[in-house]
Amino acid sequence: MNSLNSNFDQPYTLHDALTWATGDAETYAAICELKKIPARLGMINDDIGLIPADLGYFETHIASSAYGVVSKARDLKSARQRGNARVRALLKRFQRAMASGVGDGEGRDDWNSLIEFVLRREGFVDNGAAFTTGASRGLMMLRARFHVSPKALTISEIDGVAANLSSDKRKAFGRALKTLNRLIEEFAGSSELDGLLPNAAVRLPTPVSGRERIRWIDLPEAFRSDAEAAMQRALARPEDRLAEARRRIEAGEDAADVLRGLDDAAAGRRRAPGNPGSAMAGWRSAITWLILAAERHGHRRDMLGSLAALFTSEILECASADQITRSTASTRLKDPGKTQTLKSRLTALETLAKHGLKMPDLVAIVELQKRFHQGYIHSAGKFMTDDARQLCDTLTHKPSLAGNFVNAPKTIASRAIERIKNGQTEGHPQKELSGLRLYATAVLFAIQTSRPVRSSNLIGLRYRGTQDVPGHITWVKKQTHAELRFPPGEIKNDREVSVHLHGDEARILWAWIYELRLRYLELRNLTDTPYVLPGAATPRLVKSGMHLPPGCIAPSTLSEIWRDGADIIGLDMTPHQSRHAVATLILAVEPGNFAKAAAVLGDTEETVRKHYGRDNGAEAARQVRAALKSQHPDIFKKMKRRVA
């Protein structure tokens, strides 16, 4: 093991872990999973020495990565979970071996006793069970991550584990600790738990270190009034400016001055934000970002008086440099050279300075910051993200995964029906609900594999209209052909978009709306709403003039159920990245037809060519087409129908 890194200040890599595992007689299965990681991340095998052997990095970058690229298992989700568990355990053993050599099983028996205690008391709370079904799984998570007994837990142990978890895992971790606290508070007197529990409730983990959050309501009232007045001026539409001009004339102002003001506004005119609420939220976020930088320059938050006082070169430079430094140092934040965050914040401040404060000298200060940090200023759509590029490469190099994506709606729906029937047969409502939820995932994939739309359109999709807004779905032919028509006000580029679902995809949507959706409402105790995917949320980021009713699915829930489907087909992708997948497959079917890909995506041919035309690709496309056709003979029929 001489090749292992001997300098503790130098981070270990997975190459170090692999060398240790091979020499320390780790299990063959764990070593195989370790070797798969570069491929899961879209890297070559020799790049294993570039990947940190850090549990935090593993949880945030590797654990959720695509598993279909390294496995053809029928249940890819279970295979990934099993593989992740093996790597996670191996990395823990490696880190302890490199540090102090502490044994792996310390305190495990005590955790097993707690898990067994809770497991015997799980069930339906309404029927008298002490714990809901699955509560014991949270304690299993604690057993896997702590190497001390429950009674020896300290806040430093808890914070150390929490720091290495993704946001989703942190939520589950917090719930598990709450289960442990329930045992301490309600069952400490039980003879079964004697000597197993801490003396007092454990403290939940402290928040992950990051930029401090400032609540807008906590700022001085005078400052908020000044800033909000500037925001309202920045939101002004042409009719608002005319109304203001009329008031000025009625107040006795000189007509020439009023007209000059209107002409100046018209000369620098821009389209007013379509969603005032979203614009206000973005401006407030940018302002609080500046306030944090101002405090580092000695300004006091409670002494803030005017918005304009924050627009100094020193404060803006401090805020920009801090943003870049934090993003560079963090494993959780995006690379500052590949994110639009800095541009978005500076653009928001530039808009306020120009249209809200109406002070050209402040506009120049912000514009200079953009020039100074030009390497970190990126516009939306100007480049393809690493995740999107990796998805496109995966589909090109793995025809089986391309087939998984195209056939995803039917695959997921079949799996969902199986769960629904099992739940009904066993009289287990939660299992039935799990199946219905997975069927809703199939509906999402049916839309996104036909013609991908944005997440907000999936959330707001309505199967019937209300007094204020129409529905989206027209059945051209019952069960076999549905048209989803989104009017200009609900599409980002203010254009009308139609999505046609045929065959299997149409039948999935029909079955959901007319056969399964009511049962889903019943089991979730929801009232009916016009939304295809019902919930308890209210649509966000609605454009001005639109009035959408409450009762839609929450964005976080949409992400969760989409992830369930992505796990089944073995692709690490978001709903929006379906656009990249469909474009890649269109160009595999018809190499060089960038016009058709652009039409499907609702984008320009130039942008599509820039993203997907890295080379001619004719030979590569021919090979992909041949491989796809041999493995999935009906894939081209489906794709041609969808892109026609």
Side-chain angles (χ1 to χ4, degrees):
M1 295 196 291
N2 293 333
S3 63
L4 286 179
N5 191 333
S6 60
N7 183 356
F8 274 75
D9 294 329
Q10 182 75 19
Y12 289 104
T13 70
L14 291 190
H15 180 269
D16 297 324
L18 181 59
T19 302
W20 167 84
T22 305
D24 209 55
E26 285 289 310
T27 64
Y28 175 76
I31 291 174
C32 286
E33 292 296 338
L34 197 61
K35 290 179 177 179
K36 292 176 183 177
I37 290 176
R40 291 174 62 178
L41 298 179
M43 304 166 75
I44 63 174
N45 292 341
D46 289 344
D47 286 342
I48 194 168
L50 302 177
I51 305 171
D54 175 77
L55 278 169
Y57 186 90
F58 173 80
E59 298 294 352
T60 55
H61 292 81
I62 300 171
S64 61
S65 62
Y67 203 74
V69 296
V70 295
S71 173
K72 293 185 179 180
R74 180 180 180 275
D75 190 343
L76 285 165
K77 182 177 182 179
S78 295
R80 184 176 70 179
Q81 289 175 338
R82 185 165 55 249
N84 284 346
R86 287 170 176 163
V87 175
R88 189 180 290 115
L90 186 150
L91 288 179
K92 289 176 184 175
R93 291 191 291 271
F94 169 69
Q95 290 183 351
R96 287 194 299 276
M98 296 301 102
S100 59
V102 177
D104 189 31
E106 189 175 355
R108 191 175 182 85
D109 289 343
D110 289 354
W111 286 111
N112 289 340
S113 298
L114 294 185
I115 292 167
E116 180 62 29
F117 182 87
V118 172
L119 192 60
R120 292 198 305 270
R121 291 163 176 78
E122 285 183 358
F124 289 101
V125 175
D126 292 343
N127 294 338
F131 296 92
T132 57
T133 301
S136 60
R137 289 198 295 271
L139 295 180
M140 294 177 189
M141 179 185 189
L142 300 185
R143 179 185 64 187
R145 283 165 170 76
F146 290 122
H147 301 288
V148 296
S149 64
K151 61 186 175 186
L153 279 183
T154 64
I155 188 58
S156 61
E157 291 267 355
I158 293 170
D159 284 344
V161 170
N164 289 326
L165 298 178
S166 63
S167 58
D168 289 342
K169 291 291 185 183
R170 281 177 63 87
K171 293 176 184 177
F173 185 61
R175 291 194 295 268
L177 290 174
K178 289 177 182 178
T179 300
L180 179 63
N181 281 339
R182 271 200 65 195
L183 289 172
I184 296 169
E185 294 163 1
E186 300 177 22
F187 300 93
S190 171
S191 58
E192 289 185 59
L193 303 183
D194 186 35
L196 299 180
L197 295 169
N199 294 327
V202 300
R203 202 181 85 192
L204 297 183
T206 53
V208 175
S209 59
R211 186 169 71 90
E212 180 188 350
R213 301 296 178 187
I214 297 178
R215 294 198 313 164
W216 186 255
I217 193 66
D218 292 338
L219 296 173
E221 184 177 355
F223 175 82
R224 283 189 284 116
S225 298
D226 181 67
E228 286 168 1
M231 293 183 214
Q232 290 300 329
R233 289 192 293 271
L235 286 172
R237 297 167 296 176
E239 55 267 35
D240 298 324
R241 288 191 285 270
L242 287 173
E244 176 62 21
R246 188 184 296 277
R247 284 193 293 270
R248 291 173 63 188
I249 289 293
E250 292 172 351
E253 290 193 40
D254 182 71
D257 290 340
V258 174
L259 182 59
R260 191 178 302 111
L262 279 178
D263 289 341
D264 290 344
R269 66 182 178 275
R270 64 186 180 90
R271 188 175 65 175
N275 188 323
S278 176
M280 292 277 281
W283 289 330
R284 287 174 178 170
S285 176
I287 291 169
T288 56
W289 177 65
L290 270 192
I291 292 172
L292 288 171
E295 289 182 329
R296 288 190 287 277
H297 271 271
H299 296 262
R300 288 178 51 184
R301 190 181 307 178
D302 58 350
M303 298 297 289
L304 290 171
S306 70
L307 175 61
L310 290 174
F311 282 73
T312 70
S313 295
E314 294 79 12
I315 293 175
L316 278 161
E317 174 63 31
C318 178
S320 300
D322 178 66
Q323 174 71 33
I324 294 168
T325 301
R326 287 180 58 252
S327 297
T328 302
S330 174
T331 59
R332 298 175 182 274
L333 300 176
K334 289 184 179 179
D335 185 322
K338 299 177 180 179
T339 177
Q340 300 163 28
T341 302
L342 185 60
K343 178 183 184 294
S344 298
R345 286 176 173 158
L346 290 176
T347 299
L349 295 173
E350 186 179 12
T351 301
L352 280 178
K354 184 175 184 179
H355 300 286
L357 297 173
K358 301 182 185 297
M359 299 175 71
D361 55 329
L362 301 188
V363 176
I365 290 174
V366 180
E367 178 61 32
L368 277 173
Q369 284 300 313
K370 286 187 174 182
R371 303 281 183 90
F372 294 155
H373 302 289
Q374 195 166 1
Y376 302 98
I377 302 298
H378 300 290
S379 299
K382 297 301 182 184
F383 63 94
M384 186 183 289
T385 64
D386 291 343
D387 289 343
R389 188 175 296 281
Q390 182 180 335
L391 173 65
C392 295
D393 289 343
T394 297
L395 291 173
T396 302
H397 299 147
K398 293 281 185 178
S400 60
L401 286 179
N404 287 0
F405 174 72
V406 172
N407 296 310
K410 186 176 181 180
T411 302
I412 297 168
S414 299
R415 196 79 58 88
I417 291 296
E418 186 179 318
R419 287 191 195 178
I420 293 169
K421 289 181 177 178
N422 288 341
Q424 292 171 340
T425 302
E426 298 171 15
H428 199 306
Q430 285 302 317
K431 285 187 178 180
E432 185 182 358
L433 179 58
S434 173
L436 289 166
R437 176 181 161 120
L438 187 60
Y439 202 94
T441 307
V443 173
L444 293 178
F445 273 85
I447 297 169
Q448 295 302 83
T449 57
S450 298
R451 185 179 185 183
V453 295
R454 290 177 169 83
S455 295
S456 59
N457 298 125
L458 295 173
I459 290 172
L461 181 63
R462 300 178 295 278
Y463 75 98
R464 61 177 172 82
T466 68
Q467 289 184 344
D468 297 319
V469 290
H472 293 115
I473 301 175
T474 299
W475 286 98
V476 181
K477 188 175 182 180
K478 289 184 178 180
Q479 299 190 43
T480 60
H481 182 188
E483 180 185 9
L484 282 55
R485 182 175 297 173
F486 297 92
E490 296 188 49
I491 294 296
K492 181 179 179 181
N493 298 326
D494 287 330
R495 54 182 294 182
E496 183 175 284
V497 168
S498 290
V499 181
H500 288 267
L501 272 61
H502 297 269
D504 291 335
E505 289 73 30
R507 282 187 282 272
I508 287 169
L509 181 62
W510 178 278
W512 172 253
I513 293 175
Y514 298 107
E515 299 172 20
L516 302 174
R517 186 175 172 278
L518 285 177
R519 179 59 174 165
Y520 178 81
L521 289 168
E522 179 185 348
L523 290 177
R524 286 205 57 200
N525 196 28
L526 294 170
T527 56
D528 195 11
T529 73
Y531 298 102
V532 170
L533 300 180
T538 299
R540 298 164 52 194
L541 308 179
V542 179
K543 290 189 177 182
S544 179
M546 288 200 67
H547 303 284
L548 298 183
C552 65
I553 191 172
S556 57
T557 305
L558 179 81
S559 297
E560 288 175 8
I561 67 173
W562 176 270
R563 167 59 67 183
D564 290 340
D567 286 343
I568 287 173
I569 64 173
L571 279 169
D572 183 22
M573 64 188 302
T574 64
H576 187 80
Q577 286 170 349
S578 299
R579 294 167 60 83
H580 299 291
V582 167
T584 299
L585 293 178
I586 289 173
L587 294 172
V589 174
E590 299 184 32
N593 197 341
F594 298 105
K596 179 174 284 189
V600 171
L601 299 185
D603 214 329
T604 66
E605 184 175 343
E606 179 185 0
T607 299
V608 172
R609 185 181 294 274
K610 179 179 178 181
H611 285 174
Y612 306 101
R614 284 171 279 170
D615 53 39
N616 187 317
E619 178 60 22
R622 186 193 67 77
Q623 293 176 7
V624 172
R625 180 182 175 90
L628 283 170
K629 193 170 183 179
S630 66
Q631 295 187 38
H632 304 278
D634 63 338
I635 188 172
F636 293 102
K637 185 188 302 181
K638 290 187 175 183
M639 287 307 304
K640 287 180 179 178
R641 184 183 62 207
R642 287 169 186 154
V643 302

